[in-house]
Amino acid sequence: MVSKTGRITRLSSITRLSRKGMHAMRWSELVEQVRERGQYATGEEAERITRTVLTALGGHLTGPERAELAPRLPREAAAALAGPIPPTLAPAASEFVDAVAARLGGATSATARWDVSSVLGAVAEMAGDELLDRLLSRLPSGYGLLFGRAELLPAGHV
C-alpha cells in the first residue's frame, strides 16, 4: 500500500483467520492493521476510524452477505457492522465517503477516502474473495476501489 506521503508500506497479513472465520482475529489486531494501513499516529485514532467506517458500512449492507461477514470480524467489529438497520438502497461510493467524512468531523473527502480504504481493505482480507465478490455485487459501482479492488469498466465506456 502507498502511504499518504507516497511511501510504500508493509501490510500485516491475516494469518489467524480460519476457514470458518468465527471471530478469528482480535479487535486489537484489526485496529493495529488499520493503524498500519492508514499510517495513523495512535491506536485510538485507528479505533475511532474503524468503528466509524464499520458503522457506516453496516448501514448499507443488506442480504445474507451481511450476516456472513459478521462472524469473520472481531466481535467488536461485528457489533459495529450489525448496529444500524440498512436502508433499501446503498448510496454511491462517493456519497458513502462523504457521509463518513461528516461522521469523523473535520475530515475532507480525500482523507475520508483514505480512512475508508484503510478499514475496508482490512475487512476485504477477512471476508475472503468469494464473500467480497457477493458484497460488491450488492453495492453500487465504486465500492470495489474502497475495498482495494480494481473496477474495470465494460468495453465502450470512458
Side-chain angles (χ1 to χ4, degrees), residues 9-121:
T9 62
R10 175 183 59 82
L11 297 180
S12 61
S13 63
I14 299 175
T15 57
R16 296 183 191 268
L17 184 61
S18 69
R19 282 282 157 212
K20 294 179 184 172
M22 306 308 286
H23 302 292
M25 179 184 273
R26 293 188 323 256
W27 173 249
S28 61
E29 293 171 318
L30 172 59
V31 169
E32 179 59 21
Q33 185 176 21
V34 170
R35 192 192 66 70
E36 287 178 16
R37 282 176 172 269
Q39 304 234 327
Y40 301 110
T42 66
E44 291 79 18
E45 181 182 15
E47 182 172 356
R48 179 179 67 86
I49 288 166
T50 301
R51 285 187 193 281
T52 301
V53 171
L54 290 174
T55 300
L57 179 65
H60 302 298
L61 290 181
T62 60
E65 294 80 14
R66 177 180 163 140
E68 282 183 56
L69 179 58
R72 297 182 189 203
L73 302 175
R75 293 187 195 290
E76 297 88 340
L81 183 77
I85 297 173
T88 56
L89 186 62
S94 61
E95 292 170 349
F96 176 76
V97 168
D98 289 343
V100 169
R103 288 179 183 203
L104 290 173
T108 66
S109 289
T111 58
R113 192 170 31 260
W114 178 268
D115 296 336
V116 168
S117 294
S118 295
V119 174
L120 296 186

Side-chain angles (χ1 to χ4, degrees), residues 117-130:
S117 294
S118 295
V119 174
L120 296 186
V123 168
E125 289 182 28
M126 287 182 277
D129 290 338
E130 187 271 330

Side-chain angles (χ1 to χ4, degrees), residues 4 35 68 135 157:
K4 292 179 186 177
R35 192 192 66 70
E68 282 183 56
L135 284 169
H157 287 84

